[in-house]
Amino acid sequence: MNDDPFNPVIGLRSFGSEPDQVSAFVRSYVEGAHKSGLPAIVKHFPGHGSTRTDSHVGLPKLPYTLKRFEQVEWLPFKAAIEKGVDMIMSAHIQVPQIEPKTATSRKDGSAIMLPATLSSRVLSEILRNQLKFRGVIITDALNMKAIADNFGSEEAAVMSIQAGADILLMPPKPYEAVAAIRKAVTKGTLSKERIDDSVRRILQLKLAYKIMDAKRASRMNVDQAIEKAKLYIASNQADKLMDRIAEHAITGWGAQMPSEQPHELITSTMNKVLLVGHDDRSLELMQQALQAELLKPGESAYNGASSPATRNAIAQRTYSVTCEIGKLKDKNLAAQIRSADAVIIVTNDIYRQPRSVEAITGLLAQLEQQKKPVAVIAAGLPYDVQVLRNAPVGYATYGLTERNVRMAARILLGRASAFGQLPVTDK
C-alpha cells in the first residue's frame, strides 16, 4: 500500500492507496500465484507506504500508533495471511509506538530505534503470534544502508534470527554472517531449536512447491524450469496476456473522455503530432512507441465496445504522421504547437514539480482555446492525474515499461481501449 504520494521507494510497486482496495488485490494475487503453482510473497511488514525515507539509503521512521497499524497498514497483510500467503518480507523501518527499544548505531554512535527487521516484538509477537502467520519470514536485503550502516553484517544476521526471521536476504558479508550465527549458537545466544524452526519452515515451503521431495530423491530441475519459463514468456500466448494486462491497467480520465472506446485521437488525416513534456526519457520512449505503431498495418481493437464497422475502418488505415518532440521550456514551443495537428503532453511524476504543473495547466488552457486535439499521458505515478484533472483527455500508464508505453500509443491510435481504474485517492 502506498498512501503517501511523496514516498520515495514504494510507488508503482503498490496496488494502491486504500487498505480495502489493496486487500482485495492481495487476495487475488495470492490466489492467482497458488493456482499457477507459485509461492506467494508480500512485503514490507509492518508497512512501508507512508515513509519519506528510502531504506536503501537511510533508516525510515513511522510514528503511527498500534491502532493505526491495525486499521490501515496491516489489513492487506491480514488478507494475505487469510489466503495462505507463503512468505512475508520485513521492513527496515523504525516504529517507535510499537517497538520502543533502542540500539547504538555503528555509523555515528547515536541511539536509534530498533528496526522492524531486528525486532522480536514486530516479527514474533505481532506477525507470528498476533496475526497468526505460519509461513516463512524473509528480511529485506541486509545490505541496504538502513541496516548495513547501523549494524553491520554479523550483528544484523544474529539479531534478525533472534527477532524471528527465517531467511536473511543478501547480508553484505555472507560468510561472516554465517560465522556469527554459528558463534551465537555455540555461546547460547541463539538456540538450536530456533534455527531448527526456521529450517523446518523453509523445508516445508520447498516440499509444498516440489522444489524437493521428502526423500530428496527427486527435486525440481531448475535449469529446465527456467527454460520452460523463458519459452512461455517468448510465446504468443504470453504476449497477448501482457497486452491484455496493459490495456486493462491503463486508466483514462478527463472532462472530454469519449464514452465510446476505442477512441482515435491521432487520425490518418494528420501530418504532425507534437509530444510535449519535461522528461527526456518519457518523451523519447513515447515517440519511439508511436512511430513503431504508425508503421504497422492497422489492427482491430481487442474489445467489442465500438461497432465492428468502426474497428474494421481503423484496421484499414495507413498513416503518414511524423512525431516530433517539444520541450516544455523551449522558446519555439508555441511555433511547434501551431504547426502540429495534435499535441500529446507526456508527464512523469510532475506532481512533484509545482512550476511544471502550472506550465502544463496553462498550456492545456491555450490548446483548448485553439481547439487542437490534445491528450495527456501520465507515464509515472498516477498522482499526476490529481494535479491535471483539467486535462480534456488523459491516460495514466503506470510506468515506462515497453508494454505500457506501446499500449498508450495504441490507445491514441484507436487500436485499444483504456479499461483501468485509478488506484489512488485524493488526500
Side-chain angles (χ1 to χ4, degrees), residues 19-94:
D20 290 338
Q21 176 199 45
V22 173
S23 296
F25 279 121
V26 166
R27 292 186 189 95
S28 295
Y29 154 69
V30 174
E31 186 176 326
H34 287 166
K35 283 182 178 179
S36 300
L38 297 171
I41 307 167
V42 296
K43 60 182 185 178
H44 310 75
F45 189 83
H48 213 316
S50 296
T51 61
R52 291 205 175 184
T53 300
D54 181 351
S55 50
H56 293 87
V57 297
L59 183 56
K61 181 185 292 186
L62 282 183
Y64 296 148
T65 63
L66 177 62
K67 183 177 181 180
R68 152 76 192 218
F69 277 104
E70 290 175 335
Q71 294 179 345
V72 180
E73 276 75 17
W74 294 349
L75 289 187
F77 289 102
K78 289 178 180 178
I81 292 168
E82 289 169 4
K83 277 291 183 178
V85 70
D86 301 279
M87 299 174 69
I88 293 180
M89 177 180 282
S90 65
H92 302 331
I93 63 170
Q94 301 170 97

Side-chain angles (χ1 to χ4, degrees), residues 254-275:
Q256 298 175 29
M257 177 61 67
S259 57
E260 182 181 280
Q261 292 206 48
H263 168 67
E264 190 181 18
L265 189 131
I266 299 174
T267 68
S268 58
T269 61
M270 293 179 178
N271 295 312
K272 187 174 100 173
V273 172
L274 182 66
L275 304 175

Side-chain angles (χ1 to χ4, degrees), residues 165-193:
D166 300 306
I167 296 177
L168 312 185
L169 180 64
M170 298 169 64
K173 297 178 180 179
Y175 292 107
E176 286 85 343
V178 170
I181 293 168
R182 285 177 173 169
K183 184 177 179 180
V185 172
T186 300
K187 291 175 60 178
T189 309
L190 275 175
S191 69
K192 291 181 180 180
E193 290 76 18

Side-chain angles (χ1 to χ4, degrees), residues 7 35 66 80 139 187 197 203 206 222 224 240 243 251 266 281 296 335 339 358 372 411:
N7 187 313
K35 283 182 178 179
L66 177 62
T139 70
K187 291 175 60 178
D197 286 342
L203 291 176
K206 289 183 175 184
V222 176
Q224 286 182 4
K240 288 183 177 179
D243 276 343
T251 305
I266 299 174
R281 181 168 176 263
K296 293 180 180 179
S339 65
E358 186 178 347
K372 198 172 290 276
I411 288 170

